Amino acid sequence: MAGWSHSWLPLARAARRSAVVTCLMIGLPPAAGGQTSPGQVPPAALGRLVDIGGRRLHLYCTGTGSPTVLLLAGSGSFSFDWYFVQRAAMSSTRVCSYDRAGLAWSDPGPLPHTFAQAVFDLRALIDRSGERGPFLLVGHSLGGLIARLFAARYPHDVAGVVLLDTGAETTLQFINGRFAREIEAALPEPIPAPRLATVDSERTVSAEAMRGIARFRQAVGPPAIDGPYTELPPALQELRLWAMGQPFAVLADDNPYAANEEVLSLADRIRNPQQLGDIPLIVIGRSPDTVSAVADPASGAVRRVLERPAELRALGQLSSNSVVIRATHSRHEVHLDRPDLVLQAIANLREAIRTHSHVVAPTTGATILQ
């Protein structure tokens, strides 16, 4: 999905309101695990658990060199989903992936789970981890939005940005059985300020929320490995099944203020179209979906496909030093279907950063959007 949310989030939102596999990477010593289901022993963490102020986030860093590449996963995704990109990129520079609050080994965070809170947490993680910027941010889907917001807020800590099939504020989403723009659900209410500390009630899943999660599982089925995730090594597939099965994984990216934050983001982009200044930026979209010749041109599915090129170009306008491309032979998970293209983008950005020049578009297996 090219946008920021999943169609099941309102169900989880309503509920809330009322095997060591390090050898697959580079063999870091195992750390203690984070949240898990009652009675279940979590697998050893790939990286380290960084205390950001009373709670911990999982950070996994490999390789040496600069700028450090920081990988931001999409909604419902995890640090180890970057396996192919991180394994290859670590040979030439330092690469870090992490899990947002409530995902995999990371402790749950404060409620509500806003975009502002995710940016706040990332800032705290960087500050407490000892990793040094400026960083080259690579964000997929929701992770791309967080990367974009982080870069706009902390431009001096960002050397470059790659956005992988990230949605725009007005992207059509399939929500509750129909296509709609989530921004239309915005309400005139303030967005709670982010915070470090959690309270006891936020560290556990309530009985009511568990019933909502059970309804979600009944609707979509149990955790399964499908689509591009079947390309991951078997041990990482097992790890993914564990992480998907954690109750907090269903709730971690549920943002009841998403529409409000999208309104503010769009307003900021209207006021300042080049929010990133001249920070080198590469925007990569998935392969375009096909549209049936007999499909209703007014349908949400068709409009979504037809609107996508303009959305990608609009994201490219966030920087005066950008290129916009579409990956060939790739689904939404570009980093799994086309890790080679993501690695090209990282290499091209590193060269633009090193030479203070205009970024060059990856051309192998991609088309440039003029």
Side-chain angles (χ1 to χ4, degrees):
M1 179 178 292
W4 297 346
S5 61
H6 292 295
S7 59
W8 51 264
L9 283 182
L11 179 140
R13 184 175 304 160
R16 195 187 70 212
R17 284 177 175 174
S18 45
V20 180
V21 295
T22 45
C23 59
L24 292 172
M25 303 294 264
I26 64 166
L28 286 180
Q35 54 101 14
T36 190
S37 299
Q40 182 183 13
V41 178
L46 291 177
R48 55 194 174 113
L49 300 175
V50 179
D51 190 330
I52 65 169
R55 56 191 173 93
R56 305 167 302 167
L57 295 181
H58 173 247
L59 178 69
Y60 182 60
C61 297
T62 58
T64 59
S66 63
T68 296
V69 176
L70 184 56
L71 306 170
L72 292 80
S75 181
S77 297
F78 310 97
S79 55
F80 45 81
D81 290 336
W82 292 102
Y83 169 72
F84 297 111
V85 171
Q86 185 159 2
R87 182 183 62 168
M90 61 182 268
S91 65
S92 57
T93 195
R94 188 157 180 80
V95 188
C96 296
S97 54
Y98 80 105
D99 292 296
R100 287 189 297 278
L103 294 171
W105 299 278
S106 292
D107 294 331
L111 298 177
H113 301 137
T114 62
F115 303 144
Q117 182 70 55
V119 171
F120 182 84
D121 282 2
L122 180 57
R123 173 80 269 171
L125 176 63
I126 290 172
D127 291 343
R128 299 293 183 96
S129 69
E131 296 295 329
R132 304 188 61 180
F135 298 91
L136 197 165
L137 306 180
V138 182
H140 169 245
S141 195
L142 173 62
L145 168 65
I146 297 169
R148 177 186 143 191
L149 297 176
F150 185 92
R153 185 177 180 94
Y154 305 105
H156 297 299
D157 292 318
V158 178
V161 179
V162 181
L163 300 180
L164 299 178
D165 214 34
T166 299
E169 294 88 351
T170 56
T171 295
L172 277 168
Q173 306 282 357
F174 191 73
I175 302 173
N176 290 339
R178 67 183 186 90
F179 281 95
R181 303 184 199 278
E182 190 169 41
I183 198 169
E184 297 170 355
L187 298 172
E189 58 183 5
I191 300 165
R195 53 191 168 90
L196 275 178
T198 55
V199 298
D200 289 343
S201 62
E202 294 168 335
R203 301 186 191 109
T204 59
V205 180
S206 69
E208 184 179 1
M210 286 299 295
R211 288 191 290 271
I213 293 171
R215 292 194 297 271
F216 161 65
R217 296 293 186 203
Q218 186 176 20
V220 304
I225 303 298
D226 53 16
Y229 298 101
T230 59
E231 300 299 320
L232 290 171
L236 287 184
Q237 292 185 32
E238 290 297 320
L239 191 57
R240 196 167 210 281
L241 288 172
W242 163 76
M244 292 170 68
Q246 303 309 302
F248 276 111
V250 179
L251 305 173
D253 291 323
D254 175 15
N255 179 2
Y257 293 91
N260 291 37
E261 291 191 277
E262 289 166 16
V263 168
L264 296 179
S265 177
L266 182 59
D268 287 343
R269 186 151 63 92
I270 292 171
R271 283 193 296 265
N272 182 18
Q274 289 186 350
Q275 293 176 334
L276 305 187
D278 61 355
I279 293 175
L281 167 67
I282 296 180
V283 178
I284 304 178
R286 62 181 287 177
S287 301
D289 294 322
T290 57
V291 178
S292 170
V294 297
D296 180 0
S299 68
V302 173
R303 286 186 294 132
R304 179 184 172 91
V305 172
L306 297 179
E307 292 174 4
R308 189 60 178 146
E311 292 173 353
L312 293 171
R313 292 188 188 98
L315 293 175
Q317 293 171 2
L318 291 169
S319 172
S320 62
N321 185 5
S322 68
V323 293
V324 182
I325 62 176
R326 294 194 87 153
T328 56
H329 308 298
S330 178
R331 292 160 287 190
H332 178 47
E333 294 79 7
V334 182
H335 54 303
L336 289 169
D337 280 335
R338 294 296 311 280
D340 60 315
L341 187 59
V342 179
L343 292 166
Q344 281 186 57
I346 292 172
N348 288 13
L349 277 181
R350 292 183 67 207
E351 181 64 14
I353 295 164
R354 185 184 69 83
T355 59
H356 303 284
S357 60
H358 200 281
V359 66
V360 175
T363 55
T364 303
T367 57
I368 298 176
L369 285 179
Q370 302 295 337

